[in-house]
Amino acid sequence: MKFFLPKQHGAWAMLIIPFWLGVTNGGYHWQHIPFFVGWLLLYLATYPLLLLFKKNKIPFYTKWTLIYMIPALLLLLIPLLQRPSIFYFGLLMLPFFMINAFYTSRNQDRAFMNDISAIFAFSIAGLASSYLSLGVVNATMIIFIFLTSVLFFVGCTFYVKSMIREKKNSQFKWISWTYHLLLTVVWLVFGYWLVALAYFPSLVRAILFHGRKLSPKEIGIYEIINSALFFIIIVIQIISLK
């Protein structure tokens, strides 16, 4: 059987990075494994679930929603039994899912606000994975898991759009460059040089790669490398705060 998988390859980094930053901050427990697998399956389930709002191929999308959703919910029961209040993080994600459903129903999947909504939902998962261990939400979680993830992936959105859909839009190019520069400078001003360093490769690639004829595959490969660098440096930052 050929699995029905999402086509948004960039979402895999958003699925992985915030979650494991949360584990790094809170500390690993065995419940994180079923939690992550359940989170992965939930993401796979939301892809056909959102496509149902297009009102096409309803039996096909319903089938794949159930194939992924049922084991996802069963696995997510494990961390939920360990920490029942983790359920509230799921509630926080619901408004962002509804925004995604709205844009999907209007065939505007690549709308900027649709991307931003997904980024917020994925970043909330980082808070949840840290909360599973700690049982509290603190400033470290909000700043170095949630905020850093949101800012990084918003930058990725600006960059990818400036390379593909908005590559001829000079105004969008300057928005992307300014955003990446400010990210680096602001973190330096606040004294978090490691976080600034985590964003520096994004700034370099946003400027140097713009205008180059890179294929979507090449852009994706560079983004994997950039995401890995970001993750490693933020992990070091989180560990250094302990």
Side-chain angles (χ1 to χ4, degrees):
M1 179 176 65
K2 185 178 180 180
F3 287 97
F4 183 67
L5 299 173
K7 298 178 181 179
Q8 294 88 350
H9 302 296
W12 293 102
M14 292 192 286
L15 180 82
I16 296 168
I17 290 176
F19 186 94
W20 290 102
L21 286 180
V23 175
T24 301
N25 180 68
Y28 170 77
H29 291 278
W30 70 267
Q31 290 96 339
H32 279 112
I33 298 301
F35 192 8
F36 180 70
V37 177
W39 173 231
L40 168 63
L41 290 170
L42 184 64
Y43 163 63
L44 294 177
T46 58
Y47 180 59
L49 179 60
L50 285 171
L51 290 174
L52 284 170
F53 288 91
K54 293 181 181 287
K55 299 180 181 179
N56 295 319
K57 301 181 180 179
I58 290 178
F60 177 80
Y61 294 140
T62 300
K63 180 189 76 171
W64 280 105
T65 298
L66 293 174
I67 286 174
Y68 292 130
M69 185 67 76
I70 292 173
L73 294 177
L74 291 174
L75 286 166
L76 290 173
L77 279 175
I78 296 173
L80 188 63
L81 291 172
Q82 169 68 21
R83 188 82 68 182
S85 51
I86 208 168
F87 174 75
Y88 293 112
F89 292 95
L91 292 181
L92 285 175
M93 293 180 185
L94 279 179
F96 301 107
F97 175 79
M98 297 309 298
I99 292 172
N100 291 148
F102 170 76
Y103 281 104
T104 301
S105 68
R106 300 184 65 178
N107 291 315
Q108 296 177 343
D109 306 71
R110 299 190 182 277
F112 181 72
M113 288 306 300
N114 191 49
D115 293 335
I116 300 302
S117 178
I119 289 169
F120 272 84
F122 280 115
S123 299
I124 288 171
L127 295 176
S129 67
S130 187
Y131 182 82
L132 176 63
S133 302
L134 299 176
V136 296
V137 176
N138 54 38
T140 300
M141 291 166 61
I142 294 171
I143 297 172
F144 298 103
I145 300 172
F146 179 77
L147 184 60
T148 56
S149 295
V150 168
L151 294 175
F152 175 72
F153 289 116
V154 169
C156 292
T157 300
F158 277 130
Y159 166 69
V160 172
K161 287 187 181 297
S162 72
M163 292 292 289
I164 302 176
R165 299 177 70 85
E166 302 288 345
K167 63 182 178 181
K168 295 181 180 179
N169 186 338
S170 60
Q171 183 179 10
F172 199 90
K173 174 192 73 174
W174 285 108
I175 292 173
S176 175
W177 289 5
T178 302
Y179 177 86
H180 285 92
L181 178 60
L182 285 174
L183 270 185
T184 306
V185 171
V186 169
W187 285 106
L188 280 174
V189 169
F190 280 96
Y192 295 107
W193 66 270
L194 267 175
V195 182
L197 180 62
Y199 290 110
F200 186 70
S202 297
L203 171 62
V204 173
R205 66 96 161 85
I207 296 174
L208 292 185
F209 289 173
H210 186 80
R212 294 191 180 186
K213 294 182 179 180
L214 298 176
S215 67
K217 181 179 179 180
E218 290 173 320
I219 293 172
I221 291 172
Y222 286 126
E223 284 303 275
I224 291 172
I225 297 171
N226 186 43
S227 297
L229 290 172
F230 170 80
F231 177 75
I232 291 168
I233 297 171
I234 297 298
V235 163
I236 295 171
Q237 172 67 79
I238 292 171
I239 293 173
S240 72
L241 294 170
K242 292 187 175 183

